[in-house]
Amino acid sequence: MSNSPAGDVARSTVRPYSETGRRGPMRTFLRTCDGIPIDSVYDPGPAVYKTIPDTSRPPTRDLVFVIAHGFTGDVERPHVRRVAGVLRGYGAVVTFSFRGHGRSGGRSTVGDKEVLDLAAAVEWARGLGHTRVVTVGFSMGGSVVLRHAALYGGTDAVVSVSAPARWYYRGTAPMRRLHWLVTRPEGRLVGRYGLRTRIHHRDWDPVPLSPVQAAPRIAPTPLLIVHGDRDGYFPLDHPRMLAEAAGDHGELWIEPGMGHAEHAADDALMARIGHWSVSAAG
């Protein structure tokens, strides 16, 4: 993986325009440095929509959230749109479909090359005039935002929700099913036709930097790790490993009664994440 800045990898099909020129949402395809078209949506936030959920924390026009969804999600999934809708009350929002998901091209590498997709989305957000960028990732996307911040930088705060700490974890039934989906030809057929997710058949080579290895490299960028105590995929040793590796620049929220990723992150939690992001991004 290259250590070049994110600005070297993104090519947007949309021309950046000024703050005052924004009219409403727009959708385009970004192209990553390895040539994959990424379906992406920009929402200008409350400056246009006037939908501020909590007036005690007014939104700022220079802040943008870039949301990295979980495995089998995409930009059109209701749970992704709901998360984006809450964060839109605190700033602009960029959502996108990872490679192999939805209308994006390529095939999913389940967290490896996806860091290039996020780099393209972050660069697009910067090109639209936003000076502060917060990446928010869920599950697979949670691991991607950690690796992106460690390898590329260019973000002002990072939020990782329901992420694994280490690769190849098979300690829960949902993760064993996921490994069948990814590693078996019949599983990949289910992913393609049942879940709208096209999965690459090749193993990782080389194995990418793990989330727990990435966490200490993010400093001094503020990092928030969020995990539910009823997460059926990754038990609590995963977020605790991440928090320990992050050290003083990391903050850990263990959420009582919460399950896994976007589906379990209710509006109240997302609003708290929005508050934290506005403060942490400075």
Side-chain angles (χ1 to χ4, degrees):
M1 181 66 64
S2 169
N3 285 322
S4 61
D8 293 343
V9 305
R11 297 180 181 88
S12 171
T13 60
V14 171
R15 187 186 216 173
Y17 55 98
S18 69
E19 181 75 41
T20 56
R22 294 176 185 160
R23 290 289 184 266
M26 62 180 176
R27 188 168 187 169
T28 189
F29 282 86
L30 308 176
R31 191 163 296 275
T32 66
C33 68
D34 60 345
I36 303 299
I38 299 300
D39 186 17
S40 305
V41 175
Y42 172 74
D43 231 327
V48 169
Y49 291 102
K50 309 299 183 185
T51 55
I52 304 172
D54 183 351
T55 55
S56 68
R57 177 73 72 175
T60 54
R61 295 187 178 190
D62 64 329
L63 177 67
V64 61
F65 296 90
V66 181
I67 298 175
H69 62 74
F71 185 59
T72 74
D74 66 59
V75 76
E76 295 180 338
R77 300 281 191 182
H79 57 278
V80 176
R81 303 280 15 115
R82 178 183 59 80
V83 164
V86 177
L87 292 180
R88 196 180 70 191
Y90 298 88
V93 176
V94 168
T95 49
F96 65 95
S97 298
F98 279 121
R99 61 185 62 205
H101 292 70
R103 296 172 59 195
S104 291
R107 296 182 182 181
S108 174
T109 63
V110 199
D112 180 13
K113 299 300 183 184
E114 283 75 10
V115 71
L116 304 178
D117 310 342
L118 179 58
V122 167
E123 179 62 17
W124 187 43
R126 291 281 190 197
L128 290 167
H130 294 284
T131 57
R132 294 189 291 160
V133 177
V134 178
T135 53
V136 183
F138 299 85
S139 192
M140 180 187 79
S143 71
V144 174
V145 298
L146 294 172
R147 292 181 55 244
H148 171 268
L151 295 170
Y152 290 88
T155 52
D156 298 280
V158 178
V159 182
S160 179
V161 183
S162 302
R166 54 195 185 274
W167 302 136
Y168 304 111
Y169 178 73
R170 291 179 172 86
T172 58
M175 285 305 298
R176 290 190 288 273
R177 289 194 294 270
L178 187 145
H179 277 87
W180 174 84
L181 190 76
V182 170
T183 61
R184 303 293 297 176
E186 56 269 36
R188 291 191 291 271
L189 282 174
V190 171
R192 184 181 186 93
Y193 295 107
L195 301 171
R196 295 194 309 178
T197 304
R198 303 171 306 282
I199 305 166
H200 210 294
H201 66 280
R202 294 176 183 168
D203 293 336
W204 288 337
D205 185 19
V207 175
L209 184 77
S210 72
V212 75
Q213 291 171 321
R217 304 188 188 190
I218 297 172
T221 301
L223 169 62
L224 175 62
I225 300 159
V226 182
H227 211 91
D229 66 359
R230 295 187 181 179
D231 192 306
Y233 287 78
F234 305 113
L236 291 178
D237 63 311
H238 285 261
R240 287 167 178 158
M241 285 179 64
L242 292 173
E244 183 179 359
D248 291 341
H249 82 283
E251 185 173 342
L252 174 62
W253 294 357
I254 300 295
E255 296 297 307
M258 177 185 167
H260 186 68
E262 300 104 318
H263 293 284
D266 62 21
D267 290 1
L269 173 59
M270 294 311 306
R272 286 167 52 211
I273 288 173
H275 275 267
W276 181 91
S277 301
V278 170
S279 296

